[in-house]
Amino acid sequence: MTPPIPRDIPLPLPAPEGFLEILLIVSFLIHILFVHLMVGGSLFSLVCQIRGLKSPDYEKLAYRIMQTVTVNKSLAVVMGVAPLLVINTLYAPQFYASSALIGDMWMAVIPLVTVAFLLAYAHKFWWNHFINIPELHIGIAALETGLFLFIPLIFMTNVNLMLFPEYWPQVKGFFSAMLLPNVLQRYLHFISATILFSSLFFVWWSGRKSFQNEVGFSRLRVISVRRFFYAFAFGATVFQILTGLVVFASLPPQGMSWGFTLLLMLGGLLVLPAMWWMWQNLTHPGHLLDDRLKEITACFVCAAIIMGIARHDYRENALADHKSAIAEKTANYQAAVKDAREQAQLTAKTQESQTLVPGESAFNLNCAACHHPTLTTVGPALQEIKEIYANNPAGITAWTKAPGKKRPDTMKMPGFSQLSDDELTAISQYLLSH
Amino acid sequence: MDFPIFHIDFIGNRMLIAVDAILHVIINHALAVGALPIIVLLELIGIRSKDLRWDNLAYRLLKIIFIITTTVGALTGVGIWFSASLINPAAIGSLIRVFFWGWFTEWIVFVTEVSLIMAYFLSWQSASKSPEAKLKHLRLGIFLAAFSWITMAIIVAILGFMMDPGNWMTKRTLLSGLFNPMYFPQLGLRTTLAMVMGSMTMICLTYLFTRHDLAFRAMVLRTISTWSSAWLAGLIIASIWYYQVIPQHMLANIPVAFATQEYASWNGRLKLILIVGLLYVSRVLWLSVKHPGQVHGAKYLVSVLLLFAMLGQFERVREFIRKPFIIGQYMYANGIRVEDYPLLQRDGILQHATYASIREITADNQVSAGREVFEQACTRCHTVNGVNSIRGQLKNMYGEKPWQSEAIAAYVENMHGARYFMPPFPGNKAELDALSVYLSSLQKRAAAFNGAQTNGIPKPDKISASTFYGTLPNLANTHGDLQ
């Protein structure tokens, strides 16, 4: 398949490209971190709330988790603005094209996120109102979580589509773009990262000294809550590796390179010691969950940074040819524009030297849109006007300054008080003599 | 031209942006910029008087502000980006290239603002523990109010630029764009209007929240009304200033005849609403300062609505003055640069539109070619059947008479002369005829008009898949200097 080659915005980039790329990677990672905490928090709050039906302490936990969600969600949004800005700058021809191709759903992101946020507030602020109607409360939480899970799929579809211009002609709307061969794998990979990072965050969060006081469990022990999150983190890591392999195997070859593969392997290798330590802590009774928590986190953070770089590397590889074709086309187009402009200036000059009939250009500028020589268009044809005002240019001038309303089936003609008498006389004479 | 064309026929593209943007501006002015100072004021009075009712009221008001600004407020802000990049990517893409650092700064301020409002709201209760904590908390509020004003001040610069590029056309630098002639009057008007709107909105909410404590209600209403009156005086001065700057300035910019007339009607309407609105609001505030308990809540509500209407009108005039450009003197509202016109009018717009499916117009494909020309040249502002529909416009002009394509062609060829808010027709003669045939076919029958989000884009042909231009040689190599 041949990709369409559009032109770029013909203005220079606001900063060196490499700098913008670094900005993109860094701001994107920060954004995604908060997205993980937001989506994962919402998901865990829902799970705990359901468990809370049987053991009330979990409901208290769900409430505390929800408090983190309402903070993280705001940060997720504001942190998303910077990568959006940079993507708009660096990848204008690709990003705007893919956004338009899934335009309905892309625009729907705004109301969907708004609704999800409002649901999250309803979920949290009215907690005590809902205490006796758990179906409703859990329903709200489920809806909110569902939205939080769906919205990343829209983003995923768009950033995937922008990578592959050769697929654009076959895409008809959001769902066909979503079903392109590698989107859903990437989405699953993303979701497992969400669970991984949010549960790791909650392991730390529930290990703070003040946690016991804040949450006020009556029976549940904090340690078992922490093990609950810890087990999720471990499971998610396994899942993360598996889905990662599937994603790698199914990535279109356009963006593959040795550098990219090595980066992925490096990122993957970093996860192994973390997994080993986590496994030890989970299975050995003597180990504490906080053992090596710093190292484990550091491993994951480094892996995430490397993956972020690899992701960008793949994008650059995939789009390299397209980008250079675009640059060439843009330059050609600019040259053609310049050519045409010079040519037009030349013809304008030669025309200027021919004598113009007085009033002609003013007539064309002001009146021709509505008055055709022979046809009744918006206003009456010139033929008709000539009959009415034969030998009476002053009548035309007077009318034009302050038109009345005569013909029942036309609109009212607007007045031209801003034209001078001389101009109007010239127009009228021109009008009558042609 | 260079992007697949997104189009929503029923509400129209301009309307989509307008709804989102107006909602955003109202929330920003009435609930952030104008309201946060009130919250701080109430908290301060609460601390001074040691009367807990002030503090509780401030907290309840802030909760509403918090909920709305961090959901609808923040997302309609992002929504302006989303909708603009769908509807006019060429314009937003160009603006971003020029204003990147302006927007980047805006983003930093925005992050600060959101962090501050979370800190301010979420730590409210825990701050009541000690007087020192309370004072610190108050300071947070002051910062927050300041940052939300700065956010607005930056955006006003960018908006001002779109209206009038000042000397940017020659200098093309960020600062020359930022300090354009409209900046300070606009900032003054917006600041004062926001303060009045915000305090009026808070008055309404206070009225609602203090149903059971009328003595307290009178006290609070008098305080906020006094504050509001002071800003109202500022608003009157700022409006006069704005008016002094805007008319000459824009009249000089508008090249063509109808300007005065069309503008006059807008201008007149804005002036009327401004004067009536200001008089009414002044009166309500006056009464409210004198006899705070006795003004009925409905009067406050009407005042708020009048202020919203003022803001709405003001935004419309602002938009209106900009036409037919989307970036003054540089790019028309159809997303085509002024510079590109000679080329497109010579070769035809379809020759250069990357995602067009028809390139050559023949006797058989006139209607479908005309549809494509319409898509490229007119759909950023018109729909077929929805808001500002072309069918409605044509019906207005020709009624039940047959819509003759020659007549339409004569109109479209010169429409920028008669209707200066529309850009000149960007294509060549054959395309003009095809467009007119298509438009005249709409009298009987209009097939649903969908954008690229439904129809997708055509398979790339020779023009779309190659890097050079029609029969032109590869000019990239022959011309050294391409600026």
Side-chain angles (χ1 to χ4, degrees):
Chain A
M1 269 172 294
T2 41
I5 298 168
R7 299 178 297 260
D8 198 359
I9 308 272
L11 289 169
L13 287 178
E17 196 168 343
F19 177 76
L20 290 174
E21 287 178 27
I22 294 172
L23 197 61
L24 176 61
I25 296 175
V26 173
S27 61
F28 178 74
L29 282 171
I30 298 176
H31 166 60
I32 283 300
L33 174 67
F34 287 109
V35 171
H36 283 329
L37 299 184
M38 162 185 91
V39 178
S42 177
L43 196 62
F44 275 115
S45 177
L46 176 66
V47 170
C48 292
Q49 219 176 329
I50 293 172
R51 285 188 76 166
L53 291 174
K54 291 225 182 70
S55 78
D57 277 337
Y58 270 99
E59 201 209 285
K60 293 181 184 159
L61 179 61
Y63 177 67
R64 290 291 150 187
I65 293 177
M66 218 33 226
Q67 285 185 320
T68 69
V69 173
T70 45
V71 173
N72 288 329
K73 68 137 195 30
S74 281
L75 292 174
V77 167
V78 292
M79 291 303 172
V81 173
L84 187 66
L85 188 63
V86 185
I87 283 263
N88 270 273
T89 316
L90 276 179
Y91 300 99
Q94 292 88 6
F95 187 65
Y96 292 144
S98 60
S99 305
L101 287 173
I102 61 164
D104 295 340
M105 202 52 100
W106 186 240
M107 199 60 228
V109 164
I110 301 298
L112 289 178
V113 177
T114 310
V115 170
F117 282 11
L118 287 170
L119 285 172
Y121 281 147
H123 185 195
K124 184 188 119 178
F125 285 127
W126 290 337
W127 200 276
N128 294 330
H129 292 276
F130 287 130
I131 207 88
N132 295 321
I133 7 178
E135 299 85 354
L136 184 60
H137 202 189
I138 290 179
I140 288 179
L143 201 57
E144 162 207 325
T145 308
L147 284 175
F148 276 142
L149 285 173
F150 177 60
I151 292 157
L153 183 56
I154 306 178
F155 279 86
M156 186 68 79
T157 303
N158 197 4
V159 296
N160 185 69
L161 185 59
M162 73 171 263
L163 286 183
F164 306 113
E166 45 287 327
Y167 293 155
W168 296 349
Q170 77 191 53
V171 164
K172 302 266 179 283
F174 172 75
F175 288 101
S176 74
M178 186 188 90
L179 293 175
L180 285 179
N182 58 318
V183 179
L184 292 172
Q185 298 87 306
R186 275 184 79 177
Y187 176 68
L188 283 183
H189 190 59
F190 168 85
I191 291 297
S192 54
T194 293
I195 295 175
L196 166 59
F197 280 100
S198 55
S199 47
L200 215 55
F201 168 75
F202 288 122
V203 170
W204 166 80
W205 171 79
S206 54
R208 291 167 309 135
K209 285 209 184 65
S210 54
F211 181 72
Q212 175 69 289
N213 280 338
E214 282 169 17
V215 71
F217 285 147
S218 50
R219 301 240 296 282
L220 200 60
R221 285 169 45 230
V222 170
I223 182 69
S224 53
V225 167
R226 300 193 71 203
R227 283 186 72 86
F228 168 78
F229 288 128
Y230 212 85
F232 263 106
F234 186 80
T237 312
V238 176
F239 197 63
Q240 179 73 356
I241 292 176
L242 294 178
T243 50
L245 290 174
V246 176
V247 169
F248 182 72
S250 63
L251 269 179
Q254 283 91 323
M256 289 296 184
S257 71
W258 278 111
F260 171 69
T261 315
L262 282 176
L263 277 174
L264 287 189
M265 279 163 61
L266 185 63
L269 277 180
L270 272 172
V271 173
L272 295 181
M275 281 186 76
W276 171 250
W277 287 321
M278 284 168 86
W279 179 250
Q280 296 290 318
N281 291 348
L282 270 176
T283 50
H284 290 65
H287 285 234
L288 293 174
L289 292 182
D290 289 321
D291 281 353
R292 295 186 187 273
L293 191 57
K294 281 208 188 76
E295 287 88 338
I296 292 172
T297 313
C299 282
F300 282 124
V301 169
C302 290
I305 292 173
I306 290 174
M307 294 294 173
I309 297 172
R311 180 177 176 281
H312 180 74
D313 189 51
Y314 181 87
R315 176 166 56 212
E316 280 295 310
N317 293 338
L319 289 178
D321 289 350
H322 198 237
K323 279 175 84 169
S324 63
I326 286 177
E328 194 173 315
K329 190 166 191 168
T330 310
N332 276 334
Y333 178 75
Q334 291 303 92
V337 164
K338 196 171 160 213
D339 241 32
R341 210 168 52 234
E342 280 162 4
Q343 194 190 338
Q345 272 160 0
L346 240 115
T347 22
K349 266 209 195 105
T350 44
Q351 269 175 359
E352 228 167 72
S353 55
Q354 295 162 1
T355 40
L356 264 179
V357 192
E360 181 174 356
S361 64
F363 174 83
N364 285 339
L365 193 62
N366 294 296
C367 324
C370 302
H371 296 293
H372 188 264
T374 50
L375 295 166
T376 308
T377 56
V378 183
L382 294 185
Q383 271 175 346
E384 190 184 332
I385 295 180
K386 275 191 229 173
E387 275 166 31
I388 303 176
Y389 290 97
N391 300 322
N392 182 13
I396 298 185
T397 310
W399 163 274
T400 310
K401 271 189 176 164
K405 180 84 188 79
K406 240 180 171 179
R407 295 164 184 76
D409 55 346
T410 64
M411 58 188 260
K412 186 177 180 315
M413 175 174 142
F416 287 83
S417 52
Q418 74 279 10
L419 294 181
S420 70
D421 284 350
D422 289 350
E423 278 173 299
L424 281 176
T425 314
I427 292 178
S428 312
Q429 268 157 3
Y430 168 78
L431 200 159
L432 288 180
S433 59
H434 281 82
Chain B
M1 282 274 293
D2 306 331
F3 304 97
I5 294 202
F6 171 84
H7 181 80
I8 299 187
D9 206 60
F10 80 105
I11 60 164
N13 299 315
R14 282 195 314 148
M15 194 67 164
L16 182 69
I17 295 199
V19 169
D20 186 282
I22 292 266
L23 198 59
H24 181 70
V25 171
I26 286 184
I27 292 177
N28 173 278
H29 286 18
L31 288 174
V33 177
L36 290 167
I38 306 277
I39 306 299
V40 176
L41 185 69
L42 298 186
E43 188 183 14
L44 177 69
I45 299 178
I47 296 175
R48 288 260 170 88
S49 65
K50 304 218 164 54
D51 181 348
L52 266 184
R53 289 177 302 178
W54 292 88
D55 202 70
N56 289 339
L57 177 66
Y59 181 68
R60 280 183 77 181
L61 293 174
L62 182 61
K63 186 167 184 177
I64 302 235
I65 293 175
F66 176 80
I67 289 178
I68 297 181
T69 55
T70 56
T71 55
V72 190
L75 283 152
T76 44
V78 182
I80 297 178
W81 285 86
F82 271 60
S83 52
S85 64
L86 284 173
I87 288 162
N88 208 329
I92 191 80
S94 306
L95 286 173
I96 286 179
R97 297 254 167 130
V98 178
F99 277 120
F100 183 85
W101 292 110
W103 261 311
F104 194 79
T105 317
E106 170 82 354
W107 171 68
I108 305 233
V109 177
F110 182 45
V111 172
T112 318
E113 188 188 341
V114 169
S115 313
L116 281 171
I117 197 170
M118 286 195 296
Y120 188 51
F121 175 67
L122 297 172
S123 70
W124 192 289
Q125 255 121 12
S126 60
S128 317
K129 277 184 297 212
S130 74
E132 296 82 56
K134 197 64 190 163
L135 278 180
K136 260 199 194 135
H137 184 252
L138 186 71
R139 207 174 310 146
L140 266 185
I142 296 173
F143 274 119
L144 170 59
F147 268 94
S148 76
W149 181 82
I150 297 175
T151 318
M152 182 183 82
I154 299 178
I155 268 298
V156 168
I158 295 174
L159 289 179
F161 163 77
M162 284 170 71
M163 223 156 106
D164 163 52
N167 49 11
W168 176 76
M169 280 299 287
T170 42
K171 294 217 186 86
R172 297 223 171 157
T173 64
L174 180 63
L175 281 183
S176 64
L178 283 181
F179 287 97
N180 71 76
M182 299 290 309
Y183 183 63
F184 289 104
Q186 220 202 111
L187 186 61
L189 185 66
R190 273 186 198 274
T191 306
T192 47
L193 184 58
M195 291 300 169
V196 181
M197 272 171 80
S199 42
M200 269 302 184
T201 313
M202 292 302 106
I203 287 179
C204 284
L205 289 174
T206 303
Y207 192 87
L208 208 68
F209 289 163
T210 50
R211 287 187 301 276
H212 307 299
D213 187 350
L214 297 183
F216 178 59
R217 173 193 276 179
M219 239 166 21
V220 182
L221 290 186
R222 170 169 288 151
T223 309
I224 308 183
S225 302
T226 312
W227 162 273
S228 192
S229 311
W231 284 105
L232 188 70
L235 175 58
I236 292 170
I237 297 169
S239 316
I240 296 171
W241 186 20
Y242 185 75
Y243 254 95
Q244 302 262 293
V245 186
I246 202 173
Q248 300 87 337
H249 162 74
M250 61 146 304
L251 290 182
N253 250 342
I254 291 175
V256 194
F258 278 56
T260 33
Q261 191 225 328
E262 289 288 338
Y263 175 67
S265 76
W266 282 115
N267 198 24
R269 214 175 303 171
L270 177 68
K271 216 182 243 165
L272 189 74
I273 292 199
L274 259 176
I275 293 175
V276 172
L278 288 180
L279 283 178
Y280 186 86
V281 176
S282 313
R283 210 185 105 79
V284 171
L285 280 177
W286 172 255
L287 288 177
S288 181
V289 173
K290 286 271 158 205
H291 319 284
Q294 287 157 29
V295 182
H296 194 270
K299 291 210 171 117
Y300 292 129
L301 194 63
V302 171
S303 305
V304 169
L305 294 180
L306 271 173
L307 288 163
F308 284 3
M310 254 184 241
L311 181 64
Q313 281 296 322
F314 167 66
E315 300 294 348
R316 282 194 77 165
V317 169
R318 191 177 58 67
E319 273 290 302
F320 186 81
I321 296 171
R322 201 171 79 204
K323 293 217 175 77
F325 297 105
I326 192 154
I327 306 176
Q329 316 298 321
Y330 176 73
M331 183 182 280
Y332 286 114
N334 52 20
I336 299 173
R337 292 184 313 159
V338 178
E339 249 179 270
D340 294 350
Y341 261 69
L343 177 72
L344 302 179
Q345 289 180 328
R346 185 190 71 192
D347 301 359
I349 189 169
L350 296 183
Q351 284 298 320
H352 295 287
T354 309
Y355 299 100
S357 61
I358 296 176
R359 307 287 181 188
E360 302 298 336
I361 298 172
T362 62
D364 304 330
N365 71 4
Q366 270 197 319
V367 173
S368 39
R371 184 193 171 286
E372 297 223 337
V373 174
F374 179 73
E375 183 170 27
Q376 296 288 341
C378 319
T379 51
R380 297 310 84 200
C381 305
H382 289 287
T383 65
V384 173
N385 285 311
V387 173
N388 197 7
S389 78
I390 197 71
R391 285 183 105 180
Q393 294 292 358
L394 291 170
K395 201 168 209 161
N396 222 359
M397 287 165 62
Y398 305 115
E400 299 304 320
K401 290 181 285 185
W403 300 356
Q404 286 168 304
S405 65
E406 294 83 1
I408 296 179
Y411 176 84
V412 173
E413 192 176 3
N414 293 296
M415 66 181 185
H416 57 290
R419 301 307 224 185
Y420 84 92
F421 42 79
M422 286 194 271
F425 177 67
N428 63 11
K429 183 79 181 75
E431 291 174 340
L432 177 67
D433 293 340
L435 171 66
S436 312
V437 170
Y438 168 70
L439 292 181
S440 87
S441 79
L442 296 178
Q443 185 173 26
K444 298 219 178 55
R445 198 174 66 77
F449 198 100
N450 293 317
Q453 76 273 27
T454 314
N455 292 348
I457 54 170
K459 273 223 167 60
D461 59 2
K462 239 182 31 243
I463 289 181
S464 151
S466 84
T467 58
F468 26 151
Y469 268 93
T471 52
L472 289 171
N474 191 352
L475 288 160
N477 303 331
T478 54
H479 289 231
D481 162 35
L482 294 171
Q483 277 312 299

